[in-house]
Amino acid sequence: MALPPELLQAISTRGGGKIALVLGAGCSVEAPTGIPISRICSNEIHRRLIDDGVLNEGDCSNPDDLSAVADAVFIKRNSQRDVVERLRDTYDLKLATPNQGYLIAAALLREGALSSVVTLNYDLALSAALSALGAGTTIGVIERPEDLSQQKAFNVYYLHRNANAADMESWVLRTAALNVEWKGHWEQIIATRVLAAPFVVFAGRYTGGGTDREHKAPSKCSAFSNETLSGRPRQNRRL
């Protein structure tokens, strides 16, 4: 699709940094990253949880929804670890190979055309893209609140954590974490900072509070909800 003229001008403007990019649902589907969409991943994880005796048939009311699966496991185990481990290992989230979209995003960030990239995904394809382009030392990679002191002029934010997280409970995955628990914490701080950019571009199946979601990028994340965006409607773009 053709980019709007104002975005092309913002990218080419001297000094750059006028655009923030939010990567959401579906960005990791394209080969060679090749991680399936939410419904496929969620059903596969649900099946494995039943096979392993973590869940019984009927424990989860909606196996198509990964948050619902995580909620069902949390009710039984007071933990989402069983979901996170299976999701991380089944789809090799730590070893995800960047597709063309990730490489382009990394290149734009390295050149300063983007001020920041926020990814709602758990895989490390974007970090791999930065490494492939030799940008690992010039871009701040913020994976958790403790990393905020390492911010640089241009940054990548893993808003929902990622496959490197030692604490599997920190993944923003359960319904409560998506809808309520982020408020007043670092997710809100990052969202506010990102929305300060003149242009905010959403890439993927982001719906701003809807239910269409990809397994690593819940579009229900309220940190970028329609309420949060309401003050900046003309500058926001979705690709």
Side-chain angles (χ1 to χ4, degrees):
M1 63 173 290
L3 291 177
E6 60 267 33
L7 283 184
L8 291 175
Q9 182 177 1
I11 291 173
S12 60
T13 298
R14 178 181 293 275
K18 297 183 180 299
I19 300 174
L21 178 62
V22 179
L23 301 180
C27 289
S28 295
V29 172
E30 180 185 344
T33 311
I35 300 173
I37 60 173
S38 175
R39 178 179 54 80
I40 295 174
C41 293
S42 185
N43 276 281
E44 175 62 20
I45 299 305
H46 179 257
R47 182 189 66 78
R48 294 187 180 214
L49 289 165
I50 290 177
D51 289 346
D52 295 340
V54 177
L55 291 179
N56 298 316
E57 289 286 356
D59 283 343
C60 178
S61 60
N62 185 10
D64 286 349
D65 186 336
L66 192 60
S67 287
V69 174
D71 290 344
V73 171
F74 192 83
I75 289 172
K76 300 195 74 170
R77 298 288 183 96
N78 197 34
S79 170
Q80 63 182 15
R81 184 183 185 92
D82 289 299
V83 178
V84 173
E85 284 184 334
R86 286 163 178 78
L87 185 62
R88 180 197 63 196
D89 298 341
T90 299
Y91 299 105
D92 289 331
L93 301 186
K94 281 191 174 184
L95 301 177
T97 302
N99 56 38
Q100 186 178 32
Y102 281 122
L103 291 169
I104 292 173
L108 289 172
L109 192 60
R110 182 187 182 190
E111 294 301 315
L114 302 177
S115 60
S116 59
V117 176
V118 175
T119 176
L120 308 182
N121 299 333
Y122 304 130
D123 67 73
L124 299 178
L126 182 54
S127 291
L130 291 172
S131 296
L133 297 179
T137 60
T138 59
I139 305 298
V141 178
I142 313 302
E143 299 182 340
R144 54 183 184 156
E146 294 80 3
D147 296 338
L148 287 174
S149 62
Q150 302 174 26
Q151 291 180 101
K152 299 181 180 180
F154 305 99
N155 300 281
V156 168
Y157 300 97
Y158 284 91
L159 198 67
H160 289 171
R161 311 299 199 277
N162 63 28
N164 282 333
D167 180 8
M168 297 184 188
E169 307 304 328
S170 69
W171 279 33
V172 179
L173 180 58
R174 294 181 296 112
T175 301
L178 289 166
N179 292 343
V180 178
E181 293 174 1
W182 64 272
K183 294 182 179 180
H185 297 286
W186 82 301
E187 292 90 349
Q188 191 165 15
I189 295 172
I190 298 306
T192 301
R193 171 169 177 160
V194 169
L195 293 175
F199 293 89
V200 181
V201 177
F202 297 90
R205 296 181 184 178
Y206 184 86
T207 57
T211 57
D212 182 17
R213 44 172 296 169
E214 199 267 343
H215 85 279
K216 305 161 304 312
S219 61
K220 292 187 282 189
C221 177
S222 298
F224 289 100
S225 67
N226 288 333
E227 179 182 357
T228 309
L229 300 173
S230 60
R232 304 175 60 80
R234 295 187 62 187
Q235 291 95 341
N236 296 315
R237 298 285 180 175
R238 289 180 171 83
L239 300 181

